[in-house]
Amino acid sequence: MWSFFARDPIKDFNYEILPENQEKSGIWTLSRGKRKTTGEPVSVFVYEVSQGTEEQTQLAKAAFKRTKTLRHPNILSYVDGLETEKSLYIVTEPVTTLAAHLKLQAEKGGASDLEVSWGLHQIVKALSFLVNDCHLNHNNLGMWAVFVDRAGEWKLGGLDHVTSNQGESTSLPPPKVINPDLERYDPPESPGGGGDKWTGDVWRLGCLIWEVFNGNLPRASSLRSLGKIPKQLVPHYCELVGANPKIRPNPARFLLNCRSPGGFMNNSFVESCLFLEEIQIKEPAEKQQFFQDLSENLDSFPENFCKHKVLPQLLTAFEFGNAGAVVLTPLFKVGKYLSAEEYQQKIIPVIVKMFSSTDRAMRIRLLQQMEQFIQYLNEAAVNSQIFPHVVHGFTDTNPAIREQTVKSMLLLAPKLNETNLNQELMRHFARLQARDDQGPIRCNTTVCLGKIAPYLNAGMRQRVLISAFSRATKDPFPASRAAGVLGFAATHQYYSVVESASRILPTLCTLTVDPDKNVRDQAFKAIKSFLSKLETVSEDPSKLAEIEKDVTALAQTGGSAATWAGWAVTGVSSLTSKLIRNAPAGSEAPPAENSPVPQSAAGPAPTNTASKGVQQDRSYVSCQRLCPMELTFVGRKSSEAVKKQSSDWSSGWDADDSWSNEKDADGQAPKSGRLSSAQEGVRLASDYNWDGAEGKSATSDLFSSVSQRSTTCFTNNHAFTPSGLSKAELAKKKREERRKELEAKRAERKAAKGPLKLGARKLD
């Protein structure tokens, strides 16, 4: 029983004091600490009774009481405390002294005026709260009484000498009695020598401003030298340190003067900070506008402020404020300041939740900016929580969503498992390439397939690549045909010599008479490359094993995902732009033969086609340079309806390949040649207003109509039958004959049965 009363209360204290990085702050020792149960960081102010005088102990107890009872956003936050006969402990939010903070900033190039303006704004606001609302005088304002938290925000502390300004008597000794060095911060007038109740504190505020910009104040007379004080602040600073106490402004008045147009505290950083403090009471429209403007200003904001002040508000706005896609851009900008562990803890859970959103603006923003966070996503999250939501974009009625979904696969493919990559994704790619009514989307699907080929397993590569690229070479959109040729060349190492001779070269040879000159040029280069490959083996059969070593190679890992950023671009490339400008309205007919050979928007396409780390025969490599390998995404065409390829084009696919077994919703095989009635006036993905309601409604109206079927044979299809009809026309004729035969048989059956009697059941 007696051991209960005799136990040491310090042992039961819920906080552990860390011995390193201790700083002196007046009569207190500032130490870092942490909560024993959670490890949460805190700061602990410790005063040892045995090491102080009676007056200092009296001040420490007064400061303990004031810190515990005064609560304000700009005053040091009290968390916990402990008072014993031997010592006093005040636990606060984790902070450091202003002097140490400015020293650290000086090593990085110095604190910016934006940061200082907001810091002084907070201290003046706290001082105004004490003087005008609490009727208290601080009496101890200086560098030693200001602390900085993790977000870089300044907090007013040092409440040891706080007294009432309403004439109440006090027994606390003045600061200069405890520390004689503080006498140089006293105002020139004698105590009670006139002026208002705040005159002494605003004089010390002037001393604080001088020290922030110029360093330690050697003597009171140095206040006359402005030093590095900014010009916008000089007039207001001079009022603070004026010899006449009656003209020194109230802290609230000083704040208004500095916030006036052209004032030191009138800037975007202070405006943003003030908005964040009141964001909970702002209207939704105001929040939307604020987050839109915030992205432009974040680059000039201090890093710690972005991490610890802006980021929590962004996460809260998404979680509880229905801010939507507008928070994504500033969120990813702030994410650049986080470590990998912090990114995993704070942003990845939010991103995973965002992918399940049905908001189209949210989805397309995530797809467009996936490059910024893909490296932080683990494979389990991608396959189970992200990919199932992303694949819905392949069937979206909005072409911009489908376009960005295709491009995002370049970053997701290395993290997909066997089922999602080789089955689910290939199924969607087959449908897009065969049935999508947007030529550029079909083209981009071919491009993406060529880029992710190294990640497919060997069996899937054998089944898909040749069939897919062959189909692309018959596409009415010229860029798609060019992409099919480049796809063959970019994946040349995955084809055997037999396949190259029997399946690829015959396909490429038909393109040597293509109406589009760029397609012909690419076809000739690819043919020369494959012929060189065959010739190399013919001259030296021993090289066959080396050339075909990648045909059955295992799928690559996702280590090279980060290198795709250079070509995974958005918008319209020069390739598509030139094709669109020269194409006749209402069709996908290729441009004139004398059209210039286009290049990628990113610049000339590189010519080295071999995969890194693969050694090949010198003569073979030299021939590869004949064919540019850079597959580049193109933008969607902004013209009238785009015709699809005929159903006969799919006859070259393997019978057991999922690419050739795609069916419509009614269970019938897909028919190409489809026209979209909503295609006229289609804009590029970058042209949509994803934030405003007007843009959303326009987008939904633009692409809401149902695509129509058309069996018109495209003029580019120049594969004719012996009867003189094209394949598409012959197929149409056969379908018409078959329909007439079925109608005739149905009529014969009805005639044989005779008229139905009343109540009889019709069996057919």
Side-chain angles (χ1 to χ4, degrees):
M1 177 177 178
W2 291 108
S3 62
F4 175 80
F5 292 102
R7 66 182 182 180
D8 188 357
I10 297 180
K11 293 183 179 180
D12 298 330
F13 196 42
N14 196 27
Y15 299 90
E16 178 183 353
I17 300 176
L18 305 178
E20 67 274 8
N21 297 325
Q22 294 184 343
E23 302 176 78
K24 197 67 176 176
S25 177
I27 62 176
W28 300 87
T29 300
L30 174 59
S31 304
R32 293 184 181 181
K34 63 179 181 180
R35 189 186 293 269
K36 292 180 180 178
T37 54
T38 63
E40 177 187 0
V42 294
S43 287
V44 183
F45 290 82
V46 182
Y47 171 76
E48 299 291 346
V49 176
S50 60
Q51 298 179 6
T53 63
E54 184 176 347
E55 291 83 1
Q56 290 176 335
T57 302
Q58 184 182 4
L59 290 174
K61 292 182 179 180
F64 185 93
K65 179 180 178 181
R66 291 293 187 187
T67 306
K68 188 175 182 179
T69 55
L70 281 175
R71 297 300 177 98
H72 188 270
N74 304 126
I75 293 179
L76 196 59
S77 299
Y78 175 86
V79 177
D80 202 349
L82 176 65
E83 183 177 356
T84 66
E85 296 180 355
K86 297 181 180 180
S87 55
L88 282 81
Y89 299 88
I90 301 178
V91 182
T92 68
E93 57 186 314
V95 292
T96 185
T97 61
L98 178 59
H101 175 75
L102 293 178
K103 182 180 179 181
L104 182 62
Q105 292 297 99
E107 296 174 356
K108 299 179 181 180
S112 65
D113 286 348
L114 292 179
E115 181 182 359
V116 174
S117 66
W118 175 238
L120 291 176
H121 183 283
Q122 293 177 295
I123 297 303
V124 177
K125 195 173 181 180
L127 188 62
S128 177
F129 168 74
L130 288 178
V131 172
N132 300 310
D133 298 331
C134 302
H135 306 289
L136 298 172
N137 288 335
H138 189 276
N139 299 319
N140 191 34
L141 185 59
M143 293 278 286
W144 57 89
V146 179
F147 303 89
V148 184
D149 66 6
R150 291 179 296 180
E153 297 197 292
W154 296 11
K155 305 282 184 168
L156 180 61
L159 305 180
D160 307 15
H161 300 275
V162 172
T163 59
S164 172
N165 57 25
Q166 294 183 324
E168 298 179 8
S169 60
T170 178
S171 58
L172 296 178
K176 61 183 179 181
V177 173
I178 305 300
N179 187 357
D181 292 338
L182 300 182
E183 186 174 1
R184 63 179 179 272
Y185 298 98
D186 286 342
E189 70 273 7
S190 59
D196 296 297
K197 55 187 178 181
W198 58 77
T199 55
D201 282 337
V202 296
W203 170 275
R204 296 183 181 90
L205 176 62
C207 298
L208 172 64
I209 292 174
W210 194 96
E211 289 194 325
V212 166
F213 291 102
N214 299 309
N216 188 42
L217 179 66
R219 62 188 69 85
S221 60
S222 301
L223 295 172
R224 298 176 183 176
S225 175
L226 299 177
K228 299 179 182 178
I229 298 177
K231 292 182 179 180
Q232 306 103 306
L233 191 57
V234 168
H236 312 302
Y237 161 77
C238 292
E239 291 180 352
L240 297 178
V241 294
N244 186 358
K246 295 182 180 180
I247 65 172
R248 295 176 197 157
N250 186 290
R253 180 64 185 173
F254 173 79
L255 204 57
L256 289 176
N257 293 339
C258 293
R259 293 276 295 125
S260 60
F264 180 66
M265 299 179 186
N266 185 17
N267 54 63
S268 60
F269 185 50
V270 173
E271 294 290 345
S272 300
C273 295
L274 292 175
F275 190 95
L276 287 173
E277 288 188 346
E278 303 174 354
I279 194 171
Q280 304 301 332
I281 61 175
K282 297 294 184 180
E283 295 293 331
E286 292 179 300
K287 294 180 183 179
Q288 290 280 331
Q289 186 62 43
F290 170 75
F291 287 125
Q292 289 179 6
D293 299 337
L294 181 62
S295 299
E296 303 175 0
N297 299 325
L298 280 177
D299 294 333
S300 61
F301 288 2
E303 178 179 329
N304 288 333
F305 181 84
C306 294
K307 290 171 57 176
H308 301 290
K309 185 73 172 181
V310 177
L311 179 59
Q313 292 292 351
L314 291 174
L315 298 178
T316 302
F318 170 75
E319 189 77 19
F320 305 107
N322 299 322
V326 72
V327 305
L328 286 178
T329 302
L331 181 65
F332 292 136
K333 270 196 172 183
V334 175
K336 296 178 181 178
Y337 299 127
L338 303 179
S339 64
E341 182 179 356
E342 291 174 328
Y343 206 102
Q344 285 286 345
Q345 294 176 351
K346 298 180 179 180
I347 295 186
I348 291 302
V350 177
I351 290 177
V352 171
K353 186 175 181 180
M354 285 178 177
F355 271 106
S356 63
S357 173
T358 57
D359 182 7
R360 277 180 166 173
M362 176 77 74
R363 288 162 57 189
I364 200 166
R365 287 282 184 86
L366 284 169
L367 296 175
Q368 289 173 338
Q369 303 186 45
M370 185 178 291
E371 180 189 345
Q372 302 188 36
F373 57 83
I374 185 65
Q375 65 268 29
Y376 301 106
L377 295 174
N378 56 54
E379 294 184 3
V382 168
N383 286 282
S384 63
Q385 298 175 281
I386 293 179
F387 184 75
H389 297 294
V390 173
V391 292
H392 294 310
F394 289 122
T395 57
D396 199 285
T397 58
N398 191 324
I401 297 289
R402 301 200 301 274
E403 179 186 35
Q404 290 300 329
T405 304
V406 170
K407 293 179 180 180
S408 69
M409 290 302 108
L410 296 170
L411 301 174
L412 289 178
K415 297 179 179 289
L416 295 180
N417 57 28
E418 178 78 13
T419 302
N420 287 336
L421 178 62
N422 293 281
Q423 298 180 23
E424 184 74 7
L425 181 58
M426 292 300 101
R427 181 173 64 85
H428 287 288
F429 271 17
R431 186 188 58 80
L432 284 176
Q433 194 191 42
R435 296 164 54 189
D436 199 284
D437 58 2
Q438 297 282 325
I441 292 181
R442 300 196 301 271
C443 175
N444 286 341
T445 303
T446 303
V447 170
C448 187
L449 180 62
K451 290 294 184 179
I452 68 174
Y455 301 96
L456 302 174
N457 61 40
M460 184 57 63
R461 286 199 299 261
Q462 296 297 314
R463 292 173 57 194
V464 166
L465 294 185
I466 296 181
S467 299
F469 296 144
S470 297
R471 171 179 287 172
T473 59
K474 301 179 180 70
D475 195 287
F477 189 52
S480 293
R481 300 198 296 274
V485 176
L486 293 176
F488 275 128
T491 57
H492 66 92
Q493 68 269 29
Y494 300 122
Y495 310 125
S496 65
V497 172
V498 174
E499 289 175 327
S500 300
S502 61
R503 299 183 64 185
I504 298 176
L505 281 174
T507 302
L508 294 175
C509 288
T510 60
L511 297 176
T512 56
V513 293
D514 192 274
D516 186 82
K517 188 177 186 304
N518 178 61
V519 176
R520 297 197 301 271
D521 291 343
Q522 301 296 348
F524 281 119
K525 293 178 182 179
I527 289 171
K528 292 177 183 178
S529 178
F530 279 100
L531 285 176
S532 175
K533 180 178 180 179
L534 298 178
E535 186 178 1
T536 300
V537 176
S538 177
E539 295 293 334
D540 188 359
S542 62
K543 294 182 179 179
L544 177 64
E546 179 184 354
I547 290 178
E548 293 187 350
K549 66 180 180 179
D550 290 332
V551 174
T552 58
L554 297 177
Q556 293 183 9
T557 60
S560 60
T563 64
W564 292 340
W567 63 268
V569 295
T570 59
V572 185
S573 67
S574 59
L575 171 64
T576 309
S577 302
K578 293 180 180 180
L579 291 172
I580 291 173
R581 284 197 297 268
N582 295 328
S587 71
E588 282 188 355
E593 286 204 21
N594 58 357
S595 60
V597 179
Q599 292 181 347
S600 169
T607 58
N608 185 10
T609 68
S611 300
K612 294 182 179 180
V614 179
Q615 297 179 353
Q616 297 179 333
D617 183 77
R618 179 174 300 177
S619 61
Y620 181 38
V621 174
S622 64
C623 291
Q624 294 170 15
R625 295 194 179 95
L626 296 173
C627 185
M629 291 295 101
E630 185 63 18
L631 290 170
T632 306
F633 277 153
V634 299
R636 290 180 293 104
K637 184 176 181 180
S638 55
S639 63
E640 296 183 350
V642 179
K643 294 186 178 181
K644 293 175 55 62
Q645 57 270 48
S646 68
S647 58
D648 293 333
W649 293 344
S650 61
S651 59
W653 298 75
D654 297 333
D656 59 343
D657 199 328
S658 62
W659 288 68
S660 59
N661 293 333
E662 286 294 317
K663 294 185 178 181
D664 293 328
D666 57 359
Q668 300 298 324
K671 299 177 182 179
S672 41
R674 182 175 59 184
L675 282 172
S676 174
S677 60
Q679 179 60 25
E680 184 174 358
V682 173
R683 296 176 292 172
L684 302 175
S686 57
D687 295 335
Y688 292 108
N689 177 16
W690 294 105
D691 296 323
E694 180 181 356
K696 293 180 183 178
S697 61
T699 303
S700 60
D701 293 341
L702 187 61
F703 300 108
S704 60
S705 59
V706 181
S707 298
Q708 300 177 350
R709 304 283 180 144
S710 173
T711 57
T712 304
C713 179
F714 196 77
T715 56
N716 189 37
N717 185 2
H718 42 263
F720 293 95
T721 61
S723 62
L725 298 176
S726 67
K727 289 184 178 180
E729 291 174 342
L730 183 61
K732 179 180 178 180
K733 184 178 179 180
K734 289 182 178 180
R735 288 195 297 270
E736 186 67 21
E737 293 175 354
R738 178 61 177 167
R739 183 181 62 80
K740 291 180 180 179
E741 291 177 2
L742 293 176
E743 289 179 354
K745 291 181 179 180
R746 190 178 297 112
E748 291 176 1
R749 288 198 302 269
K750 289 184 178 180
K753 293 179 180 179
L756 292 174
K757 296 181 180 180
L758 183 64
R761 183 179 179 185
K762 185 177 179 180
L763 299 178
D764 56 346

